[in-house]
Amino acid sequence: EPLVLDGVVGHPEEFAARYRRDGLWIDRTFSEMLFDTVERVPDDVAVIAGDTELTYAELGEQVLRLAAGFRARGIGRGDRVVVQLPNVAAYIPLVFALFELGAVPVLALAAHERNEIAQFVDLAEAVAYLTVESHDGSDLAGLAAGIAASSPTVAHTVVLDRAGGGPELDALLAHEPLRHERRSLPSDVAFLQLSGGTTGTSKLIPHTHEGYLGSMVQASRVGGITADTVQLVVLPMPHSFAMRSPGYLGALHAGATIVLATDGSPDTVFPLIQRHRVTETALVPPLALAWLNSSLRGEYDLTSLRTVRVGGAKFGAEAAARIGRELGATLQQSYGMAEGLHTFTGLDEDEETITTRQGRPTSDADEILVVDDEDRPVPQGTPGHLLTRGPATVRGYYRTPEHDRTVFTADGFYRVGDLVQQDERGYLTVVGRAKDQINRGGSKIAPEEVENHLLAHPAVHDASVVGVPDDVLGERAKAYLVPREGGDPSALTLAGTRSFLRERGLAGYKLPDLVEVVETFPSTVAGKVSKRAQRTKKD
Ligand code: J2J
C-alpha cells in the first residue's frame, strides 16, 4: 500500500509511468539502495569522520540497530522526525535508520535555531526531534527540552553530545538489529527537504525515494562517481547539492568512500584530502575561493583531487578558470535547487563551457522553458525566467496549496525565480534572479522572513532587507530600517539589530551583515519598495 501523506502533490500518473519506464525513477527506497551496496562491498570503507571509520557492513549494522531503537520508541512509517545534526559520523546511520522504517526525516540545518525548528515541527507535526546538545554556541539541548514540553506532537527527543555521540546514541545502538526489509515503497515520500525560500515561512519539499534516487543516479553518471571515488563532504549534509548532486547518496550508491568534515576551511580539509586521498568534493563559491587563495595549499598534497564541483551560487569565470590551473582538478559547475532540477557541466567539456556555463540538465525529460514576464518563450540565447518540470522536480511543496498556485504553473512547471539564458546545446548560464531571495555565498535567505522579525522591534517602523554585492560571498544581507516615531533609534545599530534577531531565535546566517537607518524607502512607480534601488545604493 502506498503511503498517503496529506498535503503532498505527486506527479500525474502519466508522467510517473513514463519516468519509471524510462528508468529516470528507480525502483528502490533509500534503504534498499544502501543495502544493495552493503551486500556488494561489505568490507569497503563507507564513512570516515574524525577518528571514526565505518565499513559498509558496519554502517548497515548500525542502521539496523538504530532502526530497532527508533521502532522501540514507536517511530514507524510515515512519521515525521526533525533531524538537526552537523556533519558527524552518526548522521548517515541515523537518517538511514529512519529511512529503513519508512519514517520521514525533516532535514534541518545544524545552523537553524528555535524559530526554524519550531516551524518544521509544527508544519510537519513531527513525532520526534533529533539533535546535538549544542552547535556553534547555540543550546540545542535547551531547545529540545522546550519542544518536548510544548509540542503537542513530539513524543521523543534524542540529544547527542556535541560530537554526535554519547549515551543516547549508545542506547539506540544497543538494540538488536532489525532485519532489513521493504517497509516503505519507492513511490513513498522519503524525506522533507528545506527550500531556500522567498516568503515569511520555511517551505518543505516532499521528495520520493524513486524520484530523488533517480536524480542522484543521473548526476552520478555525469559526475563520474565510481567505487574508487573518495568524496569529501563539507557542505551541510541536508543540502541537496551535498546529498544528490551526486552527493553522498551517489557515493553510497557506488560503494565509494565518504569523508565528512564539519567545515570546509583549508586548515580543516587540506589535511583530510592528503590523508584520505580525496578525489572529489562539492563547494560553494566562497569556499572554492578560500581554497584557491589559501597559503596552506603548498603545504599539503592535494594531487588526488580529480573533480571539484562548484554550485549553489554563481561562480565567476575568472575564479572558475583557476580550479583547473591551480588545483589541478576538473571543475564541474552545478546549478540546482532543492525543488529538483540540477544541471552540470560535462567533465570533458571545453574550457569555455566549463568556466562560463552552469551546466545542462541530466536528461531530456527535464523540461526547460525560458520565458518573458508573460510566460511567453523568449528566443533561444535570450535571458528570461526559468520554468522547469521533470522527473527530479516536485509538483508542489508540503502543505502549502496557496503558495503552490503562485510558484507552479497550471501545467506543473516550477517557477524557479532565476534569470537564465540557454545556448544551442542546452547549457544554462545564470544571469540574474527575479525572486525575492538573498544568496549569501550559497546560503539562501528569504528577506520577508527577516523583515517580519524586524517589524516586531519596538524602534522599527518599517524594514527592508536586500542583498548587496560582496566580492567573496557574492551577496551580503543589508537591512534598511525606518525608525518608529518615539522609538529609540540608538537600538538600531548592527550589533543591536543582530542580537534582537538572535534572541527571536533566527538562524545566524540570516542576520544582516549591514544595517542602515533611513527616513523612507525608495519606491517604484507602482508605489512598492524599490529593492532594486536599495541593492545598488552607494553608501
Ligand atoms: C547561480 N545560482 C545558483 C549556480 C544554485 C545542486 C547545486 C545547487 C543547489 C542549490 C542544489 C547556482 N549559479 N551554479 O540544490 O542540487 C541559486 C539559484 C537557485 C538557488 C537554489 C543542487 N546554483 N543557485 O543551490 O535550493 O538562485 O539549491 O534557484 O539551495 O540557488 O538554491 P538551493
Side-chain angles (χ1 to χ4, degrees), residues 466 480 522-524 529-538:
V466 299
Y480 288 96
S523 57
T524 65
V529 178
S530 172
K531 291 205 160 185
R532 182 197 298 263
Q534 291 180 327
R535 281 192 278 265
T536 53
K537 179 168 177 285
K538 293 273 174 286

Side-chain angles (χ1 to χ4, degrees), residues 386-402:
L386 172 62
L387 309 184
T388 187
R389 179 172 83 170
T393 306
V394 295
R395 294 296 187 114
Y397 292 99
Y398 180 59
R399 294 184 163 169
T400 60
E402 270 157 49

Side-chain angles (χ1 to χ4, degrees), residues 327-344:
L327 289 176
T330 302
L331 170 65
Q332 179 164 54
Q333 292 212 44
S334 176
Y335 160 70
M337 61 221 60
E339 287 76 1
L341 175 75
H342 52 173
T343 69
F344 301 87

Side-chain angles (χ1 to χ4, degrees), residues 263-282:
D263 75 276
S265 67
D267 14 321
T268 306
V269 298
F270 287 1
L272 292 175
I273 295 172
Q274 172 173 299
R275 173 141 50 105
H276 302 298
R277 307 293 301 154
V278 166
T279 63
E280 63 151 56
T281 193

Side-chain angles (χ1 to χ4, degrees), residues 194-196 205 239-242 244-245 310-315 333-344 358 414 416-418 430 432-433 435 437 439 442 444:
L194 301 180
S195 154
I205 304 164
H239 197 278
S240 71
F241 191 20
R244 59 92 206 214
S245 298
V310 180
K314 178 79 176 240
F315 196 36
Q333 292 212 44
S334 176
Y335 160 70
M337 61 221 60
E339 287 76 1
L341 175 75
H342 52 173
T343 69
F344 301 87
Q358 276 69 59
Y414 171 53
V416 178
D418 293 324
V430 181
R433 184 167 60 231
K435 59 188 163 191
Q437 185 177 78
N439 190 339
K444 313 304 181 324

Side-chain angles (χ1 to χ4, degrees), residues 3-8 70 74-83 98 101-107 119-130 147 151 153-157 189-193 204-206 398-399:
L3 171 72
V4 180
L5 274 194
D6 69 287
V8 174
F70 285 133
I75 294 171
R77 188 173 180 205
D79 287 337
R80 277 81 65 198
V81 176
V82 174
V83 177
L98 295 169
L101 295 173
V104 178
V106 183
L107 298 179
Q119 275 183 39
F120 305 149
V121 165
D122 290 350
L123 176 62
E125 297 178 278
V127 302
Y129 170 49
L130 171 55
I147 285 175
S151 163
T153 57
V154 170
H156 305 281
T157 58
V189 169
F191 74 110
L192 294 166
Q193 187 158 51
L204 298 176
I205 304 164
Y398 180 59
R399 294 184 163 169

